Amino acid sequence: MVEIEIDGKALQVADGSTIIEAAHKLGTYIPHFCYHKKLSIAANCRMCLVQVEKAPKPMPACATIATNGMKVFTHSEQAITAQKAVMEFLLINHPLDCPICDQGGECQLQDLAVGYGESASKYEEEKRVVPDKDLGPLVSTDMTRCINCTRCIRFTAEIAGFMELGQSYRGEHAEVMPFIGKTVDTELSGNLIDLCPVGALTSKPFRFSARTWELSRRKSVSPHDGLGSNLIVQTKHDKVMRVLPLENEDINECWLTDKERFSYQGLNSAERLTKPMVKQGGAWQEVDWNVALDYVSHALRDVAKTHGGEAIGGLLSPHATLEEMYLAQKLLRGLGSENVDFRLRQTDFSADGKRKGTPWLGMKIAAISRLDRVLVVGSFLRKDHPLIAQRLRQSAKRGTQVSVLHSADDDLLIKLTARAIAAPSQLPAVMAQIVKATLQLKGVAADAALAGVTVSTEAQAIAQSLVSGNEGGSGILLGNFAQQHPQAATLQALGHQLASALGGKFGFLGEAANSVGGYVAKAVPGTVNGNAGLNAAAMLKDPRQAYVVLGAEPELDCADGAQALAALSKAAAVVVLSPFKSQAMLDYAAVLLPVSPFSETSGTFINTEGRVQSFYAAAKPLGETRPAWKVLRVLGNLLDVAGFEFNSSEDVRAEALGDTPGFVSGLDNGINAVMLNLMASTNGLERVADVPIHFADSLVRRAPALQQARDSAAPTARMNKALLAKLGVAAGDHVRVGAGGTATVTLAAELDVGVPDGVVRIAAAHADTCALGAMSAALTVEKV
Amino acid sequence: MALIDTINPLLTTGWSKGDAGWSLKDYEARGGYAQLKRILASKMTQDEVIAEVKKSALRGRGGAGFPAGLKWSFMPKAAPEKYVVCNTDEGEPGTFKDRDLLRYDPHSTIEGMIIAAYAVGAKRGYNYIHGEIFDIYQRFEEALDQARAAGYLGERILGSDFSFDLFAHHGWGAYICGEETGLLESIEGKKGQPRYKPPFPANFGLYGRPTTINNTETFAAIPFIMGMGGEAYLNLGKPNNGGTKLFSVSGHVNRPGNYEVPMGTPFAKLLEMAGGMRGGRKLKAVIPGGSSAPVLPADVIMDCTMDYDSIAKAGSMLGSGAVIVMDETVCMVKALERLSYFYFEESCGQCTPCREGSGWLYRVVHRIEHGEGRAEDLDLLNRVTDNMMGKTICALADAAAFPVRSFIKHFKSEFEYHIEHKKCLVDPEVQRAGSGFFRASSAAGAA
């Protein structure tokens, strides 16, 4: 600790602290532009110049390290003179076009100019004009306003991991620009808008649509991945205009992914369902709510009466709120059905009944940053969990060793220590090798199940990295791909064993906003009435008479979209509660009930670390849309199901959670007596199916700006060189892909050197590839 | 001609044969690499070498004049990986000494760098040569090949335990890459922009490793200092200003060129060696240390001796030793306009005061020169320089400000005349005649 004095106030700060950090501790504001607590120090804007006793000239507070006995003056004549001088320089070439600038009212330069600028400029020469740049569909540029603070450049290089922006030319001609002909394609690009202290980088979807002071603000929670990023949802006349990050160091820090930031556009989509609809005689009719609910209650009651409750299946989106899932499962169980599930993309349910608790991250999100050895198994980490990837990127720079076991070799923009890339069928075997090698290195005897396992060099390298860490400092994380894997239970058992051997943490990276909440809401079969129900896969494989679909688009959101579509089309009654309508829904559904998206309802998401995060509606429901919990509550009443006397979503939450703690209990990734299944069964080419970041749920699929981003490119058939050669196909050629059935799809072939031999990578969750069926199905590929 | 005149030549002893005397055998014939051999054979300690350099009072020849021995002593002893870097990015307008040093005697710089590497414990070195003198870069590469072949570079030099290799690296023509940390960034393949200091290169230099970075002339002096002893070298010059120095004399003299003289030589003597004023015209002003040094009027400079302390006392800097001589035909406003344009173009653009201020300065001086000056402009220029100086990461803002302030200070009446009369105090015809590039003609004068 060193003791310093700022403006006469003494304080102690940690060694190595800068003056600006010390001042911040005291609550003393020092004006700045280039400084940002999450970025490296550039010291280029010079706005934070302060007087330091005995220093011959003013010093930048952001870069000057506090030393014992240092006396700092932030408001002395020397400091103020320097700060005003810098402000004058910043403004001489700034266009001062605040009235037409989107940043107006929330501009750091504007704010500080009030405090440090003069009312008139002494600069009477010609002003600089800088050509604008095309950064893509999300970030708009007005580069003449740029003050060259380089925050954006440092963000791409340091936080997003790849320097997509740089400063070209010198001096007054200096320009921030992307690589020639390239856009900024990081999945975190929207943060540039927040970071830019002026109006040079603004939001393309939002710009010119509202002034900041016209917007109402509500705290909310991201409905997308399992992180549960905290949001500020801004509305005008009950329309969501913009989403910004709400800083929460324990979750999203000060960042948001583009998906979280721009998906709000989907809320205003033309595909919003605004009135209840009923299909009568093959034609859709808009009806009143009481008619629709009457229809639904009769339909469900009829099916239950005629075929038994088990003839009804419930498919719940993992992006639905805790309250919605709780009421949905309660309703279905009230009708005598145990067939309810939210794990729509899961294929291996053999762990059901053997789990020791709810699968979760295995640690706090913030604790990920403290791991010193990490193995990420089966994850498209950068696209599935961009902000967790960001945390690991920073950890790796500090010396954390990160290794990967996966079936694709996408650049995570994280410095990896070791990696093993294997076909999906080989993942359990390689995982077993890592476990065996770790046990050997630890000098522990491996159990019989691992006897026949031969350790590969890659697995050995991963094990060596893991073993070299601090006691208890390692973490094994299973990603979406591992959770969707046909041998997911084996991977879980092995992961658990590996973490136990290392004395480390073991966790699942929650795929969706309520991947933990679904378990807490009991939205899984067999939890209440014994082991009688059907899971998501089973209730589609073995079609039901009726389905209740909550918030999901099963043809895109289920592991086997084709099978889901077939089952739903065959069913006598499909009741869909959704904020959106789609052609598929109009084809298979009998009733469409417009329910609120996250922005128009109160509710709760339980994130992957088990944190309970409730939120209020940010806007009034659109048209006749109603919050799903209210709809389900009325349906419960109409169907005479007991225990549906809720007056608020808080009542529902109280029943689902008990007294709401900050974190739910019962989280445990342990698993009992799972038979390891290391067998690799393949016939034909194996498919690696990723869920592209902008296709993962029904909201983001309808966000137009995101759909233009590079991450939203149409699916291709990605193969390595060997396979392309074997098929006689060149990159760019079209190939016909089949999955055993009659349906085929035609896709462009793409070279991806990271795809293992005998594997074709084709994205799922996309209309173009829905016909291929199961995400893990064996494929045939032929040249068109 | 390689060499015109010297007093007590050291660095330029090898220049007499011009382009025929640069190679290894010539250098060895002059006693080259003898000091390296002696140091390695006698197993001199690192501290002994540094002590000798300290004794010599050799000050950095690149411009800042920081004592070289002291700089070397800042290098952490224990660090496993260290670098020695030579700054031949001779970008300061008026300076052309390092170019000739590498052209006529590259091995003295190489030997100096090897000795420096030995003293600070570096295993690897780079010489950053600016891009406009590509033939010099090629010559240095050739010299490196010779030194490597002779065993002066590489593993276990001359059979000792000491290993060191040296590489040449050429820039692409940015003044800012002559700033030492901008230069390091450039070697690393990044945009040449100075780093915030501290940490200084001795702690965090090339690739983040401790690095000693000196000017070419500084390194070139090392073999001579080791040869004659630090004390004798110091005594060539005057206290705190040891040794001899190369001066690049340019401008309105009869024999522009490089002159090696002992520190403390009167300016009048240097001017005389350079053949005196061209056309016998009157001396008006001298920039004594490269374009960023404040200008000194004739009467002030004529009383100065050429060393760090005397020039500093007179209100300027010895800098890199680039002596720009201006006679009475020079319009000081036009001269300043040219200098200000240089700094405007060469500011790297990272720090606000320099990026914005250098353009402001140029535009105002440009306006004055072109008859659009305003009464308040001189105060404005002084205020803008006040706001630039000492407020940036590197000294380029100061370098842009010094000429403006000193020109206005010493030649205020000329600026005022320009502003008031919208034309130059020095008749354009006279200016053209003085430039040496145009023949005076009455027609031109009338136009």
Side-chain angles (χ1 to χ4, degrees):
Chain A
M1 299 295 275
V2 292
E3 196 165 321
I4 75 162
E5 200 182 292
I6 298 177
D7 297 334
K9 284 178 257 178
L11 84 157
Q12 287 203 331
V13 290
D15 288 349
S17 302
T18 58
I19 293 176
I20 208 166
E21 287 165 352
H24 189 246
K25 232 177 136 186
L26 269 182
T28 302
Y29 181 75
I30 297 176
H32 59 269
F33 294 105
C34 70
Y35 168 77
H36 189 278
K37 62 184 174 183
K38 293 284 183 187
L39 303 175
S40 65
I41 302 293
N44 63 29
C45 80
R46 316 307 285 179
M47 191 64 211
C48 70
L49 290 173
V50 293
Q51 183 178 359
V52 176
E53 192 184 56
K54 288 176 194 147
K57 50 189 188 179
M59 306 291 281
C62 69
T64 306
I65 305 293
T67 54
N68 234 341
M70 182 183 266
K71 283 188 180 162
V72 178
F73 305 94
T74 67
H75 285 76
S76 66
E77 199 192 328
Q78 192 200 56
I80 295 287
T81 307
Q83 291 161 7
K84 286 188 164 177
V86 171
M87 177 53 75
E88 181 180 29
F89 283 129
L90 284 170
L91 293 180
I92 64 170
N93 275 308
H94 188 77
L96 299 172
D97 59 344
C98 310
I100 57 154
C101 175
D102 222 47
Q103 193 87 350
E106 50 185 0
C107 173
Q108 229 172 321
L109 185 65
Q110 198 178 36
D111 293 349
L112 289 178
V114 173
Y116 298 89
E118 298 291 330
S119 49
S121 175
K122 304 259 185 335
Y123 185 77
E124 295 177 23
E125 322 306 318
E126 209 167 295
K127 285 200 180 212
R128 171 173 70 219
V129 175
V130 183
D132 288 338
K133 315 290 185 292
D134 179 12
L135 303 187
L138 304 175
V139 183
S140 182
T141 66
D142 284 279
M143 298 315 289
T144 301
R145 297 180 189 139
C146 173
I147 59 168
N148 286 284
C149 71
T150 70
R151 275 185 181 184
C152 53
I153 297 172
R154 285 174 284 147
F155 176 83
T156 60
E158 296 162 16
I159 306 296
F162 179 65
M163 192 171 169
E164 290 187 279
L165 289 170
Q167 193 186 41
S168 293
Y169 312 125
R170 279 197 303 256
E172 210 187 277
H173 312 298
E175 283 179 31
V176 172
M177 58 168 69
F179 287 104
I180 302 207
K182 297 275 199 272
T183 49
V184 172
D185 298 330
T186 166
E187 63 284 351
L188 302 175
S189 70
N191 295 297
L192 297 173
I193 300 161
D194 296 343
L195 285 170
C196 183
V198 298
L201 305 178
T202 54
S203 165
K204 223 173 225 179
F206 169 72
R207 69 194 308 229
F208 306 141
S209 62
R211 282 301 196 182
T212 173
W213 57 83
E214 301 169 336
L215 299 169
S216 311
R217 293 159 163 74
R218 274 291 169 113
K219 292 179 187 176
S220 193
V221 178
S222 163
H224 300 292
D225 68 32
L227 203 68
S229 292
N230 291 188
L231 311 177
I232 301 171
V233 175
Q234 302 190 328
T235 61
K236 182 180 169 185
H237 307 319
D238 277 311
K239 183 180 171 192
V240 175
M241 305 298 290
R242 181 165 71 165
V243 167
L244 296 175
L246 176 62
E247 187 167 341
N248 187 336
E249 198 55 29
D250 294 332
I251 302 175
N252 50 308
E253 303 171 63
C254 53
W255 314 123
L256 278 188
T257 64
D258 290 352
K259 176 158 80 169
E260 292 163 327
R261 184 185 300 266
F262 296 109
S263 69
Y264 75 87
Q265 280 195 300
L267 299 169
N268 309 319
S269 153
E271 292 184 12
R272 274 296 293 273
L273 189 59
T274 52
K275 265 185 91 83
M277 293 170 80
V278 173
K279 199 191 264 172
Q280 282 178 327
W284 282 98
Q285 291 193 330
E286 292 188 344
V287 295
D288 287 341
W289 267 105
N290 51 3
V291 175
L293 291 173
D294 227 36
Y295 184 98
V296 172
S297 63
H298 277 107
L300 294 178
R301 208 194 304 259
D302 282 356
V303 170
K305 222 179 238 171
T306 321
H307 304 280
E310 65 274 14
I312 307 175
L315 296 166
L316 317 184
S317 165
H319 303 277
T321 66
L322 174 81
E323 292 80 353
E324 291 162 359
M325 288 205 251
Y326 183 78
L327 291 180
Q329 61 83 25
K330 195 169 177 179
L331 182 79
L332 286 157
R333 289 193 162 107
L335 287 165
S337 171
E338 191 57 26
N339 312 327
V340 58
D341 210 340
F342 73 100
R343 301 163 300 175
L344 305 184
R345 291 200 182 98
Q346 193 166 315
T347 50
D348 178 10
F349 294 88
S350 61
D352 280 6
K354 295 172 185 163
R355 267 188 305 274
K356 290 183 179 165
T358 301
W360 69 303
L361 187 61
M363 68 196 100
K364 296 277 160 46
I365 289 167
I368 292 176
S369 299
R370 294 191 290 272
L371 296 173
D372 78 333
R373 295 292 181 272
V374 180
L375 172 61
V376 181
V377 180
S379 174
F380 298 94
L381 191 66
R382 219 178 102 207
K383 301 300 175 184
D384 289 347
H385 296 94
L387 291 178
I388 288 178
Q390 188 278 130
R391 279 187 186 266
L392 288 177
R393 187 170 298 134
Q394 308 313 323
S395 304
K397 279 191 249 176
R398 289 191 302 265
T400 294
Q401 294 188 3
V402 181
S403 302
V404 159
L405 166 60
H406 195 22
S407 295
D409 197 12
D410 293 350
D411 191 349
L412 298 179
L413 304 177
I414 296 171
K415 185 176 167 247
L416 295 181
T417 301
R419 71 182 139 196
I421 306 299
S425 62
Q426 303 296 323
L427 279 194
V430 182
M431 188 68 181
Q433 293 171 20
I434 296 169
V435 175
K436 185 169 184 179
T438 302
L439 292 171
Q440 282 168 349
L441 288 166
K442 283 271 182 188
V444 182
D447 42 4
L450 299 173
V453 171
T454 315
V455 177
S456 66
T457 332
E458 291 83 5
Q460 185 69 28
I462 292 173
Q464 243 143 13
S465 163
L466 290 172
V467 169
S468 68
N470 295 326
E471 191 65 35
S474 55
I476 313 300
L477 297 168
L478 297 197
N480 296 358
F481 187 74
Q483 295 166 53
Q484 294 155 4
H485 194 276
Q487 286 138 282
T490 294
L491 289 171
Q492 178 179 357
L494 288 167
H496 189 261
Q497 193 183 354
L498 180 57
S500 307
L502 293 162
K505 303 272 199 300
F506 169 58
F508 292 93
L509 298 165
E511 177 186 345
N514 244 341
S515 289
V516 168
Y519 284 97
V520 176
K522 305 191 180 73
V524 283
T527 353
V528 176
N529 300 339
N531 198 11
L534 299 178
N535 58 49
M539 70 177 98
L540 291 169
K541 191 171 172 228
D542 188 4
R544 306 285 98 194
Q545 286 290 321
Y547 289 95
V548 174
V549 179
L550 171 64
E553 295 178 90
E555 68 280 12
L556 298 171
D557 291 335
C558 288
D560 187 337
Q563 191 182 56
L565 201 54
L568 291 166
S569 303
K570 254 185 272 175
V574 176
V575 177
V576 175
L577 292 80
S578 167
F580 306 103
K581 57 176 183 276
S582 69
Q583 192 50 52
M585 272 179 214
L586 292 171
D587 290 346
Y588 59 64
V591 191
L592 294 176
L593 302 177
V595 298
S596 296
F598 82 105
S599 55
E600 297 167 17
T601 180
S602 54
T604 303
F605 292 131
I606 300 175
N607 78 357
T608 187
E609 60 178 346
R611 185 189 297 259
V612 179
Q613 299 197 98
S614 295
F615 51 90
Y616 295 107
K620 281 200 199 104
L622 184 69
E624 290 186 24
T625 299
R626 293 292 172 264
W629 73 266
K630 286 188 180 174
V631 175
L632 290 162
R633 183 233 192 243
V634 175
L635 273 176
N637 298 146
L638 288 173
L639 287 161
D640 296 322
V641 180
F644 264 75
E645 293 78 35
F646 303 102
N647 288 319
S648 66
S649 67
E650 285 86 350
D651 286 352
V652 183
R653 185 184 65 196
E655 183 172 313
L657 286 182
D659 48 348
T660 327
F663 291 86
V664 291
S665 54
L667 303 171
D668 194 330
N669 292 325
I671 185 166
N672 293 314
V674 160
M675 283 295 289
L676 292 186
N677 174 8
L678 304 179
M679 295 301 290
S681 61
T682 53
N683 46 348
L685 298 167
E686 290 185 56
R687 176 176 177 190
V688 169
D690 56 313
V691 176
I693 182 167
H694 298 155
F695 293 95
D697 58 67
S698 56
L699 178 59
V700 67
R701 284 195 278 266
R702 291 176 171 81
L706 287 173
Q707 290 304 315
Q708 291 165 31
R710 198 157 302 261
D711 274 335
S712 307
T716 56
R718 294 161 71 165
M719 294 167 267
N720 67 19
K721 251 184 206 153
L723 185 53
L724 283 175
K726 194 173 153 199
L727 296 169
V729 173
D733 288 355
H734 281 79
V735 289
R736 189 176 297 114
V737 185
T742 48
T744 60
V745 300
T746 302
L747 298 169
E750 186 184 339
L751 172 65
D752 181 342
V753 293
V755 172
D757 287 335
V759 170
V760 185
R761 176 170 165 185
I762 298 174
H766 196 284
D768 291 0
T769 61
C770 173
L772 287 176
M775 289 166 74
S776 50
L779 299 177
T780 56
V781 179
E782 57 185 15
K783 196 173 172 178
V784 176
Chain B
M1 186 165 36
L3 188 64
I4 304 166
D5 201 358
T6 58
I7 302 171
N8 286 337
L10 295 174
L11 303 170
T12 56
T13 40
W15 294 18
S16 53
K17 285 201 272 177
D19 279 319
W22 68 271
S23 78
L24 180 64
K25 58 178 182 358
D26 301 303
Y27 183 63
E28 284 175 329
R30 295 194 291 270
Y33 289 113
Q35 293 313 312
L36 177 64
K37 286 178 188 157
R38 179 176 70 84
I39 290 166
L40 294 179
S42 66
K43 294 191 164 43
M44 262 179 97
T45 66
Q46 296 177 330
D47 289 340
E48 283 166 348
V49 178
I50 293 176
E52 206 60 49
V53 176
K54 275 188 177 170
K55 229 186 283 175
S56 75
L58 171 67
R59 292 172 60 169
R61 301 300 197 222
F66 194 83
L70 193 58
K71 199 184 237 187
W72 294 10
S73 68
F74 292 152
M75 289 285 276
K77 283 259 183 317
E81 205 177 328
K82 292 181 256 191
Y83 293 98
V84 168
V85 174
C86 176
N87 183 348
T88 316
D89 192 61
E90 195 174 37
E92 184 79 4
T95 313
F96 42 85
K97 62 189 177 62
D98 298 337
R99 180 192 65 185
D100 281 1
L101 265 173
L102 293 191
R103 177 175 176 184
Y104 300 122
D105 196 19
H107 285 284
S108 60
T109 300
I110 295 173
E111 186 181 1
M113 287 189 74
I114 300 170
I115 293 170
Y118 177 84
V120 302
K123 299 253 177 314
R124 197 168 263 259
Y126 293 90
N127 186 6
Y128 189 100
I129 302 168
H130 83 148
E132 291 90 332
I133 51 171
F134 196 76
D135 49 341
I136 305 297
Y137 162 78
Q138 287 171 316
R139 172 156 296 177
F140 193 74
E141 287 278 25
E142 262 185 89
L144 285 178
D145 287 344
Q146 294 175 342
R148 248 178 238 128
Y152 294 123
L153 288 172
E155 290 298 310
R156 303 183 65 87
I157 292 172
L158 303 174
S160 70
D161 290 339
F162 173 59
S163 301
F164 174 71
D165 212 344
L166 178 57
F167 304 91
H169 183 105
H170 78 82
W172 292 94
Y175 177 64
I176 197 61
C177 290
E179 198 279 347
E180 59 184 16
T181 54
L183 184 149
L184 297 178
E185 291 279 297
S186 180
I187 294 182
E188 290 180 13
K190 301 172 190 159
K191 190 180 181 202
Q193 285 189 332
R195 298 174 183 167
Y196 181 77
K197 286 148 285 194
F200 290 95
N203 287 310
F204 189 94
L206 188 60
Y207 302 113
R209 308 294 179 201
T211 300
T212 289
I213 174 162
N214 281 121
N215 173 250
T216 319
E217 188 185 347
T218 313
F219 282 124
I222 299 298
F224 299 99
I225 290 170
M226 298 312 292
M228 65 170 52
E231 190 129 14
Y233 182 83
L234 168 64
N235 291 337
L236 280 177
K238 58 188 245 191
N240 196 32
N241 295 270
T244 61
K245 169 96 188 82
L246 278 170
F247 289 97
S248 305
V249 183
S250 64
H252 297 152
V253 294
N254 279 317
R255 292 190 300 176
N258 283 314
Y259 295 88
E260 182 180 11
V261 296
M263 287 289 196
T265 302
F267 170 75
K269 175 68 188 164
L270 185 64
L271 184 60
E272 183 196 317
M273 288 166 74
M277 297 303 293
R278 191 156 59 185
R281 282 192 289 264
K282 205 172 134 203
L283 178 68
K284 184 171 189 176
V286 172
I287 302 177
S291 64
S292 41
V295 68
L296 294 176
D299 53 336
V300 176
I301 188 72
M302 288 306 283
D303 288 341
C304 287
T305 58
M306 297 306 284
D307 58 80
Y308 296 100
D309 294 342
S310 169
I311 300 288
K313 212 172 140 205
S316 186
M317 308 183 303
L318 191 69
S320 58
V323 180
I324 302 170
V325 179
M326 292 178 270
D327 70 19
E328 59 195 346
T329 67
V330 170
C331 166
M332 297 310 276
V333 180
K334 191 167 201 163
L336 180 62
E337 185 204 10
R338 191 65 195 78
L339 290 175
S340 292
Y341 182 72
F342 176 81
Y343 291 103
F344 164 56
E345 278 297 323
E346 294 294 345
S347 167
C348 85
Q350 66 172 331
C351 300
T352 306
C354 181
R355 179 181 67 242
E356 308 295 343
S358 58
W360 197 351
L361 292 180
Y362 164 67
R363 289 193 175 91
V364 173
V365 176
H366 178 81
R367 256 197 307 106
I368 298 173
E369 165 64 16
H370 288 80
E372 290 169 31
R374 302 175 194 138
E376 63 276 16
D377 277 349
L378 298 184
D379 287 342
L380 175 68
L381 286 172
N382 276 324
R383 201 175 62 82
V384 173
T385 57
D386 271 340
N387 288 343
M388 291 170 72
M389 290 192 305
K391 298 194 176 57
T392 50
I393 287 174
C394 80
L396 197 146
D398 299 74
F402 287 155
V404 174
R405 292 174 76 87
S406 62
F407 272 64
I408 294 177
K409 181 181 165 195
H410 294 298
F411 301 95
K412 196 165 187 180
S413 59
E414 261 188 68
F415 284 83
E416 286 169 345
Y417 186 91
H418 253 273
I419 291 169
E420 196 181 332
H421 300 277
K422 315 288 182 205
K423 63 174 186 176
C424 190
L425 184 64
V426 183
D427 189 281
E429 186 70 5
V430 175
Q431 288 182 43
R432 264 191 286 276
S435 73
F437 289 104
F438 302 100
R439 186 182 297 274
S441 79
S442 54

